[in-house]
Amino acid sequence: MDSLTSESISEPKTIFLKNYSVPEYLVDTVILDFDLTETKTTVRSELKIRKNPASESNSSNLELNGQNLKLIAITLEAINEPSSLVKTLTESDYLLENESLVISDVPEFFILIITTEINPKENLALEGLYLSSNMFCTQCEAQGFRRISYFPDRPDVMALFTVTIHADKQHYPILLSNGNKTDSGDEGKNRHWVTWQDPFPKPCYLFALVAGNLYCQQDVFTTASGQNVDLYLYVEHENKHKCEHALMCLKQSMTWDEETFGREYDLNNFMIVAVNDFNMGAMENKGLNIFNSSCVLASPETSTDADYYRIQGIIGHEYFHNWSGNRVTCRDWFQLSLKEGFTVFRDQQFSSDMNSAAVQRIDDVNILRNAQFSQDAGPMAHPVRPQEYIEISNFYTVTVYNKGAEVVRMIHTLLGNKGFRKGSDSYFKRHDGQAVTVEDFVNAMESENNIDLSQFMNWYHQAGTPKIEFSESYDAQAKRYTLTLKQFCAATPGQETKKDFHIPIRVGLLNSNGETLSLDLSGEDSCSGEQECVLELKQNEQRFTFDNISEKPVLSLLRGFSAPVKITTQRPRSEMAFLFANDPDDFNRWNAGQELALDIILSLIKEHQAGHDLKLDKEYVNAFRKTLNNSSLDNALKSQALGLPSESYIADQCHIADTDAIHDVRIFIRQQLAKNLEADLLTLYNSFTISGDYQFNAKDMGQRSIRNTCLSYLMELDNADYHKICVEQFKNSNNMTDVIAALSLLVNHDNEYRENCLASFYEQWQHDALVIDKWFAIQATSRLPATLERVKSLMNHSAFTIKNPNKVRALIGRFCLGNIAQFHNSDGSGYQFLAEQVLSLDKLNPQIAARLIQGFSQWRNYNDNRQQMMKQNLDKIISEDGLSKDVYEIVSKTLA
Ligand code: 0A1
Ligand code: ZN
């Protein structure tokens, strides 16, 4: 019987949260047996199943999910029945459809044995079991397990897994799955087998299998209670020099989770495997994390500070999932933020504790403002807990992850550190081993802290970024300062009107010398004599009165970005410059600089559009100089403060995004700053030379960062001296951070060194795929015209393959999503290119195709000509036959 299903569907079905019902059948144990060969792997699955006592359904049909499986055989054995027999099922006993297998008339307790065949080599979607660089690996979240075997593929079905893997001994000496290795042996035909048992019940999305010829770097960690955990990092042999950093980060994460959240690890071993072909960053499979090699491998010569930093965060993220996600998991996929928002919050806190808290906060807010705010304002806007989806893979979004983390952070702000910890302890205790909902998390927080978070739940239910307006009044006689706050949230698809949010707003007040005023908030005991306080905005409009304020204060609002909102009230430039110089809150000081820059950029864009000559505000140059020369400022923070808002963020602030004007104005400002501050920039650049070996520490990273920021401004002057300095840095640096910084600048500007440096870089690193990804990305984000032509020709380069997601992201993704000015070329060439790539990728890897179309998501924010061209391309995509659910959902919602 040939039951191969097709990747595509004609009428995609929407799944609704409101239709959730408990599973009709539960699976207690799963015994899997894999006979691995590249093109035909046989999977035998033995399931111990029982009717769910909590289910009200009286159907006796068992429905299993399955996709791209070839069904070989099914047998069923009733348990506890007098005449129980092993029965081989025939076609009349079940209904086999494209994505499901329904077995009719099953008993209350039974054992079901299903044998299927799959083809890992043909699996380019990278979901289920697939081959990546000569190794077998799996990806089962969210719904990949159904591509391995027929199963109730939903997170609220949790089972104990025992897994035996058979494979060729020479090609696949390492055979891994979740839990503990319990047995192994050799068998005929040069094959061997290993059995793994996971003592923790888990949903099938946390199942994992790896088979390959891998190098293993080992370490150990002793937990707080004295348990030894063996740590294993498996990588391709050629990467054995790139393991140290990840193992160090893993040990840091394990210690941090014990100290900060009281969470200890629970198995005797923890394994991480690096794979080259992976759709996302990494996956938290129980005891066997699988990582995109770009998110785990590092060496000074091949990885930048940003890589080291990102790896630390992702190692932490996946490790922290062991509690927030694995021990306590999600009831259904609508609850995705329960594990992801919470875990992102945890990894952000971890990175903040390991590095500079202010820089971490700025990075987090930048992601939110540059990507999440625009999602919230566009056609794919959805609440942190979505109410419906067509393809769940499309909901691994910045909203679910990063806004979800902000929502958890707001609970932390409202409860304080101690209260939050009490709440999280109680959440883990109450729900250990369960599949739960967002309400369960919030209830644990509420009941441990005696607080009512019912209005706060609107953050989970409502999409859209709330806007905050403020007005101030000062009564000198009464020494009273009054702050009035108003909230508003625009309609989003499917949500016309919004209820008021419960918004924590951290504020401070400064006097005219920039000194902090002590606060006496009337009516609130909690904020008396403090230097800052958290206002709780719950109504549409609310007034807060501060007494004993002896002069008209300067307001420092939304400190640390205490809520994911937009402040819409314009402030005079002088006030922003004052805060940029004086705000004691690091985040707000940076933010004031960004607002000041944005205000200047937006007015220069108007000038530019009117054809006027541009002039840069002198006050701004002075404020910039002060920051540049402020020797008491931490270098990493200074480097952030000297950066201008990104082109995409500026585009989001415009009614109609004129990408050419945005690009020109931003460069104009950078050139003017460089002209006016050339000597200062050069002095600062020369004042740091880091001697000795590369180290990943705050001091060295800060110095590299400020040096490279200075160099990037100097390169705006585009003269031979700076070209030379850049080439020197490119040639003589002992670390990838400085090499890449120099090379990107050379590639951005027309100069005689550009092509030679690119060629020598390729020559040197052609054996290292991750470094070559950087080489692709640099060329794709170049400012120079003809970049699209370069991207197209690089697609024919022998190092490029459209089957590898990292390559696609580096070349196509960085051009379409990271090179705003060129992608939006008014001739429409960028749009046509994106549509072509989406259509060809959709046939191979729909998840990656669907990510790329984000390039069109803001199409309504452009002028008529661009709108029309983007729409034509969207129409072309949607009219294609056999489109995946992934791409269909995004395109149809983008057009709606
Ligand atoms: N849970 C992972 C993310 C992830 C989701 C889907 C994947 O495959 C398509 C892979 C990874 C995390 O949050 O790290
Ligand atoms: Zn995660």
Side-chain angles (χ1 to χ4, degrees), residues 507-664:
V507 297
L509 297 176
L510 307 184
N511 69 15
S512 53
N513 296 325
E515 291 153 355
T516 299
L517 296 172
S518 119
L519 303 179
D520 185 359
L521 178 63
S522 35
E524 289 280 337
D525 304 339
S526 62
C527 200
S528 153
E530 312 278 332
Q531 309 224 315
E532 59 181 24
C533 58
V534 176
L535 310 177
E536 295 191 33
L537 175 61
K538 292 176 155 181
Q539 295 153 25
N540 185 254
E541 179 170 344
Q542 218 168 314
R543 219 174 248 209
F544 300 90
T545 309
F546 298 86
D547 291 318
N548 299 314
I549 302 291
S550 50
E551 62 172 290
K552 184 175 185 299
V554 179
L555 171 67
S556 167
L557 185 63
L558 202 70
R559 283 191 166 170
F561 203 66
S562 61
V565 298
K566 280 185 190 170
I567 309 279
T568 50
T569 306
Q570 267 291 330
R571 308 181 79 165
R573 281 191 192 165
S574 57
E575 231 172 81
M576 292 188 263
F578 177 84
L579 289 168
F580 186 33
N582 295 300
D583 200 318
D585 183 81
D586 284 338
F587 174 83
N588 265 21
R589 202 167 55 250
W590 167 82
N591 192 53
Q594 295 293 297
E595 279 181 17
L596 181 58
L598 182 66
D599 191 44
I600 291 168
I601 291 169
L602 294 178
S603 43
L604 287 178
I605 288 175
K606 284 195 191 124
E607 297 290 309
H608 184 72
Q609 287 167 334
H612 298 157
D613 280 347
L614 301 183
K615 253 199 221 110
L616 182 59
D617 186 337
K618 281 225 175 68
E619 291 305 311
Y620 181 67
V621 178
N622 285 335
F624 197 92
R625 176 184 287 117
K626 261 197 212 149
T627 304
L628 187 65
N629 295 330
N630 178 352
S631 54
S632 61
L633 201 57
D634 164 72
N635 279 319
L637 203 54
K638 185 188 283 190
S639 177
Q640 295 275 11
L642 299 178
L644 299 181
S646 70
E647 289 184 11
S648 67
Y649 182 62
I650 301 167
D652 286 345
Q653 314 310 311
C654 300
H655 178 56
I656 293 176
D658 179 346
T659 44
D660 299 319
I662 292 170
H663 184 73
D664 294 350

Side-chain angles (χ1 to χ4, degrees), residues 141 282-284 317-318 321 324 336 339-341 343-344 347 396 401:
E141 187 178 5
M283 179 62 209
E284 70 264 22
H317 181 98
E318 304 312 328
H321 267 315
S324 48
L336 184 56
K339 75 177 178 79
E340 296 304 347
T343 304
V344 172
D347 83 56
Y396 287 75
Y401 274 63

Side-chain angles (χ1 to χ4, degrees), residues 223-243:
T223 67
S225 67
Q227 214 61 35
N228 274 344
V229 181
D230 291 315
L231 312 178
Y232 302 91
L233 174 53
Y234 292 94
V235 303
E236 287 178 281
H237 291 274
E238 66 203 40
N239 291 322
K240 60 197 221 188
H241 60 294
K242 294 191 182 181
C243 296

Side-chain angles (χ1 to χ4, degrees), residues 376 463-467 488-492 495-498:
D376 243 348
T465 306
K467 292 181 177 159
F488 168 77
C489 184
T492 51
Q495 291 185 332
E496 277 310 307
T497 56
K498 310 274 177 173

Side-chain angles (χ1 to χ4, degrees), residues 23 82 142 199 206 236 293 345 363 404 412 444 527 534 600 628 667 714 756 804 869:
L206 290 173
E236 287 178 281
S293 52
F345 170 73
D363 284 349
H412 184 269
C527 200
V534 176
I600 291 168
L628 187 65
I667 288 181
L714 291 166
N756 280 343
N804 175 255
M869 292 188 294

Side-chain angles (χ1 to χ4, degrees), residues 743-751 754 778 781-784:
L743 184 62
S744 334
L745 293 170
L746 290 166
V747 171
N748 244 345
H749 297 269
D750 206 0
N751 60 76
R754 182 172 195 271
I778 282 182
T781 45
S782 168
R783 278 185 200 170
L784 293 182

Side-chain angles (χ1 to χ4, degrees), residues 391-544:
E391 171 53 63
I392 186 59
S393 300
N394 286 330
F395 287 80
Y396 287 75
T397 60
V398 276
T399 298
V400 167
Y401 274 63
N402 300 72
K403 187 177 180 180
E406 293 300 318
V407 172
V408 174
R409 180 178 300 277
M410 286 190 283
I411 297 179
H412 184 269
T413 301
L414 290 168
L415 304 185
N417 204 32
K418 273 205 186 124
F420 185 85
R421 172 66 192 270
K422 272 198 281 175
S424 75
D425 282 353
S426 144
Y427 167 70
F428 289 127
K429 193 165 166 200
R430 289 183 191 182
H431 300 296
D432 190 5
Q434 298 176 3
V436 302
T437 62
V438 163
E439 279 77 6
D440 293 313
F441 177 77
V442 176
N443 285 343
M445 292 289 166
E446 276 181 317
S447 56
E448 291 303 313
N449 290 281
N450 238 328
I451 173 181
D452 177 7
L453 292 172
S454 44
Q455 185 188 353
F456 186 87
M457 287 303 291
N458 289 338
W459 284 107
Y460 285 103
H461 304 320
Q462 298 186 151
T465 306
K467 292 181 177 159
I468 308 284
E469 236 176 65
F470 72 90
S471 58
E472 308 167 90
S473 70
Y474 179 64
D475 179 343
Q477 230 160 27
K479 296 190 171 175
R480 179 172 294 157
Y481 168 77
T482 306
L483 175 66
T484 305
L485 299 174
K486 268 195 215 172
Q487 59 169 305
F488 168 77
C489 184
T492 51
Q495 291 185 332
E496 277 310 307
T497 56
K498 310 274 177 173
K499 294 185 183 135
D500 288 327
F501 290 89
H502 177 177
I503 309 176
I505 299 192
R506 194 185 293 279
V507 297
L509 297 176
L510 307 184
N511 69 15
S512 53
N513 296 325
E515 291 153 355
T516 299
L517 296 172
S518 119
L519 303 179
D520 185 359
L521 178 63
S522 35
E524 289 280 337
D525 304 339
S526 62
C527 200
S528 153
E530 312 278 332
Q531 309 224 315
E532 59 181 24
C533 58
V534 176
L535 310 177
E536 295 191 33
L537 175 61
K538 292 176 155 181
Q539 295 153 25
N540 185 254
E541 179 170 344
Q542 218 168 314
R543 219 174 248 209
F544 300 90

